[in-house]
Amino acid sequence: MRDPRYDILFTPMRIGPVTAKNRFFQVPHCNGMGHAMPLAHAAMREAKAEGGWAVISTEECEIHPSGDVSPYVEARLWDDRDIPALALMCDKVHAHGALAAVELTHNGPTASNLYSREVLIAPSHQPSKYGYPAQARAMDRRDIANYRRWHRDAALRGMRAGMDIVYVYAAHDLSLAMHFLQRRRNHRTDEYGGTLENRVRLLREVLEDTKEAVGHRCAVAIRFATEELLGPAGVERAEAQDIVGMLAEIPDLWDVNVAAWYNDSVPSRFAPEGAQEPFIDFVKKTTSKPVVGVGRFTSPDTMVSQIRRGVIDFIGAARPSIADPFLPKKIEEGRIDDIRECIGCNICVSGDNTITPIRCTQNPTMGEEWRRDWHPETIAPAKSAAKVLVIGSGPAGLEAARALGQRGYEVHLAEARRELGGRVTREARLPGLAEWARVRDWRLGQIRKMQNVATYLDSALTAQDVLDFGAEHVIVATGCHWRRDGVGRSHGEPIPGFIDNAAVFTPDDIMDGRMPDGPVAIYDDDYFYTGSTIAEALRRAGREVVYVTPDDTVASWSANTLEYRHIQWRMAELGIEQIVSHDIRAFADGALDLRQVWNGRRRRLDCAAVVAITSRLPDDALYHALAAREAEWADTGLRTATRIGDALAPGLIAHAVYAGHRIARELDEAPTGEVPFKRHFHTPRESDLLRPDA
Ligand code: ADP
Ligand code: SF4
């Protein structure tokens, strides 16, 4: 039963002409599926509606080809033929009593028009934001009138699709309505530029247009950035206060946050739960309309506190709803311990940035609701009474054991170490990564409630142990280790001076507490988070640290998880020197021989130790020993032995969790064929080939 302290989270609230059944509001979030994969998109949104969210929003929704954000795949309402895809989502969301919302946008100079080939438009002449070799032209009065018309038409289409809430988007530095507010983008001298009143004019007009067009049936929401953290070059809190004051009662709802996206969806490494409060807390004092705010909220106590203290009315969430689509239901049913808390790793964000369907470290079903029919909470019951031995309790083994346990199998989980969790337990000790232990904690919490899953610590199994155990299925999830020889992306052969050198360390050493004396060089040939976290750990332990990478920038893949800027700021704050575009040729006599990758110039870097962050090797000896004895399997009852996760191929924690989940889903199930999931086919129909006006 629900704890009465959380009752307030379940009180309905009116938003203009519609009513939300509770205070859980899935704010707009990208997903890499958008208009290209409408069935997958609708099923993903449906999972959240089923999980109890009162409002389910789309991602940003393009209103016109001149604001085309290709190659990113978002929602689209360019013309009437885009309506059915979103109607699909509305129907699925409504089936569970939730409201559907659409976030309309025209991204002006932050669009690309790579697909439409239209000329970009902006408040004033300016380069396109994302480095496309083109400029946006200044909009004239006719362009402004057109933009208002496109927005109104898209709002009407949204209403026809079945949307209950239509957003005007002025956040994340991503939409014309916001670009007109920004002094750095708006240099106009007409009634749309100059004074704040003039810069706000277009936003006010678009809000009023939208209300006039659809306000009788739909609530009109504004998504508004209250701070850009750019100083006077951006919208600052003081100016935002004036803007909210000027528009306070026009929209039916204020959804407020910090811009740009990297300041909004900040990874847990750089910001705790509820970090936006100081930037948005004034809004509720300025308007009588309901306010939505985000903050990677997973704790119901924090949620209640925000509402009781008058900070927000709705618990806005993107990531917490991705990690656990059933978060509201679990609070409602008094199952707080069952909440699968977001760890703030931003792998979900990387889906949008790599233009691929969203995935989540904590929730392996995210993005698989339609194409694999994976439900976030339910799973098919066991098809046999088989006994399964899972070896290794990292994210892969833990998830396999949990999900097999949920199916009802008899599961035995053996771990060599004296602690469970494998890499997540160890990585969570690195600076800022403590929340990553939630990957372990949620799974352990679930497993401990199951009678049919046993765990064994301090149990380094051999092939003989496994054969003696008498399981029918063995899942080998024994993980991997970092290489010490320098082999990786830049080196196919060991780096001279690395092998048998006690001054060469790996991330495993640091995580196990074996710290080098300084000065230390970090050699990052991996390009994601490990290099900068190890550098930070050593710096905080008082070592002098120089970060060396053959890549042209620091942690380049972290741009996909919005970590890149935060990593740069953190390294600057800690005084970690960076040497980019330099490879190591050799390590000898207390110095690295570095080579500039483009011009070949050599440089000596004195250091007492090197941490090699290059690549990893699977710990698969047990698997191979078992495979070598396959002839003996039948006698012991063993039918299958499968390696998964890092023991198969080292990857992200998300990959390991996914592998564990997948094997649990597929055990005893019929093979699914060459392509293991449903696909979207785009078979053109004659009507699709016509221009909308033809
Ligand atoms: P993954 O990311 O694939 O889950 P991890 O490295 O996180 O991999 O976890 C692998 C776990 O397997 C580690 O905790 C390790 O101690 C354990 N392990 C490795 N070999 C054995 C073995 N022979 N018997 C039991 N546990 C093992
Ligand atoms: Fe949270 Fe990571 Fe899942 Fe995103 S991928 S929702 S940040 S756990």
Side-chain angles (χ1 to χ4, degrees):
M1 273 315 293
R2 181 167 91 209
D3 184 328
R5 280 180 303 164
Y6 306 142
D7 283 353
I8 195 167
L9 300 172
F10 295 90
T11 49
M13 181 149 236
R14 235 185 133 65
I15 313 173
V18 299
T19 300
K21 66 179 176 183
N22 63 38
R23 305 303 184 88
F24 293 94
F25 195 118
Q26 183 245 272
V27 295
H29 73 75
C30 305
N31 53 86
M33 303 191 283
H35 64 82
M37 302 179 199
L39 293 162
H41 175 258
M44 179 270 286
R45 302 291 184 199
E46 180 179 18
K48 300 177 188 209
E50 191 192 342
W53 299 84
V55 180
I56 309 285
S57 183
T58 64
E59 61 278 32
E60 41 173 10
C61 178
E62 300 168 350
I63 61 169
H64 191 261
S66 62
D68 143 37
V69 302
S70 306
Y72 300 102
V73 194
E74 314 297 336
R76 194 169 265 180
L77 276 175
W78 289 3
D79 67 54
D80 288 1
R81 287 167 304 181
D82 293 311
I83 293 174
L86 288 175
L88 204 61
M89 164 188 156
C90 291
D91 291 347
K92 302 261 183 209
V93 163
H94 290 157
H96 300 279
L99 300 174
V102 62
E103 183 187 52
L104 300 181
T105 187
H106 187 302
N107 283 9
T110 57
S112 73
N113 293 354
L114 289 173
Y115 175 53
S116 70
R117 304 187 182 183
E118 297 293 340
V119 173
L120 293 167
I121 54 175
S124 306
H125 292 292
Q126 59 197 270
S128 90
K129 178 175 177 182
Y130 290 111
Y132 302 116
Q135 290 211 176
R137 67 177 175 81
M139 292 163 75
D140 61 20
R141 282 209 173 74
R142 184 192 299 260
D143 296 317
I144 290 176
N146 283 340
Y147 163 62
R148 289 177 58 184
R149 178 168 52 80
W150 299 331
H151 200 283
R152 193 183 310 112
D153 290 349
L156 286 165
R157 287 188 195 107
M159 185 173 74
R160 282 166 57 202
M163 295 294 171
D164 308 285
I165 300 175
V166 175
Y167 266 98
V168 173
Y169 187 38
H172 294 131
D173 185 25
L174 280 185
S175 83
L176 278 175
M178 177 165 186
H179 299 144
F180 271 76
L181 300 175
Q182 297 163 318
R183 280 180 298 264
R184 70 182 184 283
R185 295 196 184 282
N186 182 348
H187 307 138
R188 302 177 73 94
T189 52
D190 64 3
E191 70 271 30
Y192 289 97
T195 63
L196 182 61
E197 202 185 339
N198 282 355
R199 284 182 282 124
V200 170
R201 187 177 311 279
L202 186 61
L203 176 54
R204 179 197 296 275
E205 287 174 348
V206 174
L207 280 167
E208 287 169 348
D209 292 344
T210 313
K211 283 209 72 152
E212 197 185 299
V214 300
H216 57 292
R217 252 181 56 197
C218 304
V220 174
I222 181 171
R223 190 140 216 237
F224 178 70
T226 57
E227 174 62 76
E228 290 192 274
L229 299 172
L230 293 174
V235 173
E236 290 184 281
R237 188 185 144 112
E239 195 175 57
Q241 268 171 312
D242 292 339
I243 298 171
V244 177
M246 291 160 84
L247 303 174
E249 301 302 315
I250 301 177
D252 298 310
L253 174 125
W254 284 86
D255 174 352
V256 286
N257 62 7
V258 180
W261 195 11
Y262 54 82
N263 286 325
D264 183 16
S265 299
V266 183
S268 60
R269 188 176 162 193
F270 303 103
E273 181 177 18
Q276 299 205 15
E277 182 176 333
F279 302 108
I280 58 118
D281 57 1
F282 67 87
V283 179
K284 242 195 90 57
K285 301 183 183 89
T286 319
T287 174
S288 69
K289 303 299 170 107
V291 175
V292 184
V294 289
R296 216 163 46 75
F297 297 119
T298 55
S299 149
D301 295 313
T302 309
M303 298 174 192
V304 167
S305 154
Q306 293 255 337
I307 292 179
R308 289 232 182 272
R309 289 184 295 112
V311 183
I312 51 182
D313 300 292
F314 281 100
I315 304 304
R319 290 173 293 175
S321 77
I322 294 166
D324 197 340
F326 277 62
L327 186 150
K329 269 225 162 115
K330 289 175 183 175
I331 299 175
E332 191 171 20
E333 293 168 3
R335 297 194 291 128
I336 307 301
D337 293 348
D338 290 341
I339 296 173
R340 197 167 43 235
E341 292 179 298
C342 166
I343 69 166
C345 61
N346 281 8
I347 289 301
C348 50
V349 173
S350 75
D352 188 52
N353 283 328
T354 56
I355 313 149
T356 47
I358 185 170
R359 63 189 306 168
C360 167
T361 300
Q362 275 284 55
N363 174 11
T365 68
M366 179 49 46
E368 300 287 15
E369 301 84 355
W370 174 77
R371 61 179 206 170
R372 285 188 198 269
D373 293 317
W374 285 2
H375 187 278
E377 295 298 307
T378 59
I379 192 163
K383 286 261 170 71
S384 70
K387 174 164 144 184
V388 187
L389 173 62
V390 180
I391 307 165
S393 70
L398 273 179
E399 174 62 11
R402 184 207 66 78
L404 285 164
Q406 189 187 1
R407 289 190 66 188
Y409 284 98
E410 177 189 333
V411 182
H412 300 266
L413 174 64
E415 166 56 49
R417 291 181 174 239
R418 293 212 171 97
E419 59 186 9
L420 296 168
R423 64 181 288 188
V424 281
T425 294
R426 298 164 75 224
E427 290 184 37
R429 294 189 189 117
L430 292 170
L433 302 189
E435 284 191 21
W436 291 21
R438 291 173 170 183
V439 171
R440 173 199 64 203
D441 294 342
W442 180 74
R443 289 175 173 79
L444 273 184
Q446 299 296 301
I447 284 172
R448 291 204 169 119
K449 291 184 198 170
M450 297 173 182
Q451 304 295 320
N452 53 328
V453 182
T455 53
Y456 311 88
L457 288 175
D458 219 355
S459 305
L461 302 189
T462 62
Q464 188 60 48
D465 295 333
V466 175
L467 292 173
D468 290 345
F469 195 79
E472 283 168 71
H473 301 284
V474 172
I475 296 171
V476 182
T478 44
C480 66
H481 63 274
W482 286 92
R483 295 183 75 126
R484 205 175 280 279
D485 57 8
V487 171
R489 289 200 168 91
S490 302
H491 292 267
E493 301 291 334
I495 298 177
F498 269 36
I499 290 176
D500 294 331
N501 186 340
V504 175
F505 291 73
T506 71
D508 292 316
D509 294 323
I510 312 303
M511 287 187 279
D512 289 338
R514 282 192 296 279
M515 300 292 263
D517 291 327
V520 186
I522 305 288
Y523 177 59
D524 187 0
D525 200 20
D526 172 65
Y527 313 154
F528 193 24
Y529 64 88
T530 308
S532 63
T533 41
I534 295 289
E536 184 174 344
L538 290 169
R539 192 74 195 98
R540 290 193 188 281
R543 308 293 188 276
E544 238 177 82
V545 176
V546 182
Y547 171 99
V548 180
T549 181
D551 205 0
D552 287 334
T553 185
V554 169
S556 54
W557 209 82
S558 70
N560 292 315
T561 49
L562 308 179
E563 285 166 285
Y564 175 73
R565 287 162 196 264
H566 298 283
I567 288 173
Q568 286 283 17
W569 290 323
R570 178 67 54 86
M571 285 174 90
E573 184 188 312
L574 292 171
I576 296 171
E577 188 193 338
Q578 301 174 354
I579 302 178
V580 299
S581 310
H582 277 76
D583 194 12
I584 299 179
R585 304 314 294 171
F587 181 36
D589 306 325
L592 288 171
D593 175 10
L594 298 182
R595 178 180 177 277
Q596 215 279 357
V597 296
W598 302 117
N599 62 25
R601 268 190 218 116
R602 301 299 257 264
R603 153 176 187 185
R604 182 187 153 96
L605 178 70
D606 292 321
C607 61
V610 183
V611 184
I613 303 165
T614 58
S615 62
R616 292 172 285 166
L617 281 174
D619 289 330
D620 53 5
L622 173 62
Y623 172 79
H624 289 298
L626 267 180
R629 295 175 66 178
E630 194 169 348
E632 298 167 53
W633 290 12
D635 287 345
T636 68
L638 180 58
R639 284 167 49 207
T640 65
T642 317
R643 358 167 222 172
I644 61 163
D646 292 326
L648 178 65
L652 299 173
I653 296 167
H655 300 142
V657 171
Y658 184 85
H661 193 79
R662 183 170 176 190
I663 194 159
R665 290 256 178 195
E666 293 182 350
L667 195 83
D668 281 336
E669 298 291 331
T672 45
E674 293 286 307
V675 178
F677 49 78
K678 287 182 269 177
R679 287 197 288 144
H680 281 83
F681 289 94
H682 301 282
T683 310
R685 285 165 300 158
E686 191 63 24
S687 59
D688 292 331
L689 304 174
L690 299 171
R691 289 197 316 274
D693 52 356

